Amino acid sequence: MSARAAPSRRRQAGRRLRYLPTGSFPFLLLLLLLCIQLGGGQKKKENLLAEKVEQLMEWSSRRSIFRMNGDKFRKFVKAPPRNYSMIVMFTALQPQRQCSVCRQANEEYQILANSWRYSSAFCNKLFFGMVDYDEGTDVFQQLNMNSAPTFMHFPSKGRPKRADTFDLQRIGFAAEQLAKWVADRTDVHIRVFRPPNYSGTIALALLVSLVGGLLYLRRNNLEFIYNKTGWAMVSLCIVFAMTSGQMWNHIRGPPYAHKNPHNGQVSYIHGSSQAQFVAESHIILVLNAAITMGMVLLNEAATSKGDVGKRRIICLVGLGLVVFFFSFLLSIFRSKYHGYPYSFFN
């Protein structure tokens, strides 16, 4: 019974095979080739991504920040595939550029990258790179960038958005501020570790030793401690330092001044109301001191009971100090509203 059924099944399969449409074989063949091609393309894409990540990890093992020219930037930052984020600093560190801000920003960037490299959370999802203007001019032109330093985040998917450019003018370039920005853009939290700096401790120890030595030498005559004029001078010095922006300089670390590389002109006053130079704070300190001196002279001329002619001279000198230096100070404040672009290149 089973021997008779076998030929019957073969005849039925042959009939079904004869009734298949003749055009379905090319379609099946095309579908098979397409699946093979897609599988091979996906495999090639995965191999390329693995090679890129391996190369980046090798560079990171040697340096926390790797320098890139145009070719490396296009290959590792712009070209797909990419499953990692890149933080890139665009700068101009060559001496002929005379970009002191770039050097200071680079130091903070190094601190941030080193903190990530030696962190226990270090992985292949975030890398730090740098493009110098003299090594990657084509990159600056490609991005229509004419200022430095600039920090940009290139996400693993999609193009950079407006928030992916760090607002250096408003926030400053301290490593802690950069770390907050990186965490906001990549969800990677970096704890900043700064190298130990004992200069503040040494300065405080010297100051305490100086004051202690002075008190010891004058231990039999400490009436100067109750001198109101001396304490008033100390208080004024602290007020002048704080109102001139010395604390802001200590936190943000701005350059002393800026020299335009095109015409050689040196700017001591920053044109933006959100920033300042160190020289600018010194100028403001002197102006505030001069105005205060003028006010003191006016008060002395009004309250003293000396010679009328001498009091008139003191009054004129005090009035001159107040009017001249206050007008100078007012002109500086007005100029702060024009803005100052950090432009170094054409």
Side-chain angles (χ1 to χ4, degrees), residues 23-72:
S24 56
F25 286 105
F27 174 76
L28 292 174
L29 182 61
L30 180 61
L31 184 61
L32 180 61
L33 292 175
L34 184 60
C35 291
I36 295 174
Q37 185 176 4
L38 288 177
Q42 184 66 23
K43 188 67 175 178
K44 183 179 180 180
K45 184 177 179 181
E46 292 177 357
N47 292 337
L48 179 58
L49 178 59
E51 291 177 1
K52 292 171 67 173
V53 173
E54 182 180 359
Q55 181 65 68
L56 291 173
M57 290 296 291
E58 181 183 351
W59 287 340
S60 297
S61 64
R62 290 181 289 180
R63 287 187 177 181
S64 56
I65 301 174
F66 43 87
R67 304 175 74 98
M68 295 182 291
N69 54 20
D71 294 335
K72 290 182 179 179

Side-chain angles (χ1 to χ4, degrees), residues 39 54 58 60 65 88 94 107 109-110 113 118 152-153 159 186 204 207-208 222 233 238 245 277 301 312 325 342:
E54 182 180 359
E58 181 183 351
S60 297
I65 301 174
V88 181
Q94 297 300 322
E107 293 176 359
Y109 191 51
Q110 290 283 352
Y118 297 107
M152 286 189 65
H153 166 242
R159 296 182 177 180
T186 66
L204 180 61
L207 178 61
V208 172
L222 298 178
M233 295 297 294
I238 296 175
F277 297 130
R312 185 180 291 113
F325 288 104
Y342 267 97

Side-chain angles (χ1 to χ4, degrees), residues 50-198:
E51 291 177 1
K52 292 171 67 173
V53 173
E54 182 180 359
Q55 181 65 68
L56 291 173
M57 290 296 291
E58 181 183 351
W59 287 340
S60 297
S61 64
R62 290 181 289 180
R63 287 187 177 181
S64 56
I65 301 174
F66 43 87
R67 304 175 74 98
M68 295 182 291
N69 54 20
D71 294 335
K72 290 182 179 179
F73 177 81
R74 283 182 287 272
K75 178 180 179 181
F76 293 98
V77 179
K78 299 290 290 184
R82 193 174 70 250
N83 64 350
Y84 52 85
S85 296
M86 286 285 300
I87 305 296
V88 181
M89 176 185 179
F90 300 90
T91 185
L93 296 175
Q94 297 300 322
Q96 64 269 20
R97 298 296 174 186
Q98 298 181 353
C99 180
S100 58
V101 182
C102 295
R103 292 191 293 271
Q104 297 174 10
N106 179 57
E107 293 176 359
E108 295 295 316
Y109 191 51
Q110 290 283 352
I111 293 174
L112 175 65
N114 287 330
S115 300
W116 169 243
R117 178 187 177 189
Y118 297 107
S119 171
S120 59
F122 176 76
C123 62
N124 58 3
K125 298 301 181 183
L126 178 65
F127 298 99
F128 290 87
M130 177 188 299
V131 177
D132 192 277
Y133 179 77
D134 295 283
E135 299 173 1
T137 308
D138 53 338
V139 178
F140 278 76
Q141 295 174 353
Q142 179 182 352
L143 299 177
N144 295 322
M145 188 178 298
N146 62 355
S147 62
T150 300
F151 298 94
M152 286 189 65
H153 166 242
F154 294 88
S156 57
K157 295 181 180 179
R159 296 182 177 180
K161 301 178 182 179
R162 183 176 182 181
D164 288 312
T165 300
F166 183 68
D167 192 353
L168 184 144
Q169 292 283 348
R170 185 177 63 88
I171 305 177
F173 47 76
E176 290 77 9
Q177 299 298 331
L178 287 170
K180 292 181 181 179
W181 171 69
V182 170
D184 179 62
R185 304 310 304 166
T186 66
D187 291 331
V188 175
H189 297 271
I190 303 175
R191 183 180 178 184
V192 176
F193 293 95
R194 290 186 174 274
N197 185 0
Y198 302 105

Side-chain angles (χ1 to χ4, degrees), residues 228-280:
K228 296 181 180 180
T229 303
W231 286 113
M233 295 297 294
V234 172
S235 301
L236 282 176
C237 290
I238 296 175
V239 171
F240 293 152
M242 295 297 104
T243 56
S244 64
Q246 294 296 331
M247 186 57 67
W248 191 93
N249 294 339
H250 179 72
I251 296 173
R252 299 296 180 88
Y256 188 81
H258 171 67
K259 183 177 182 181
N260 192 317
H262 300 297
N263 53 24
Q265 183 178 0
V266 180
S267 299
Y268 298 100
I269 306 297
H270 200 295
S272 172
S273 60
Q274 302 296 325
Q276 70 175 13
F277 297 130
V278 175
E280 179 179 343

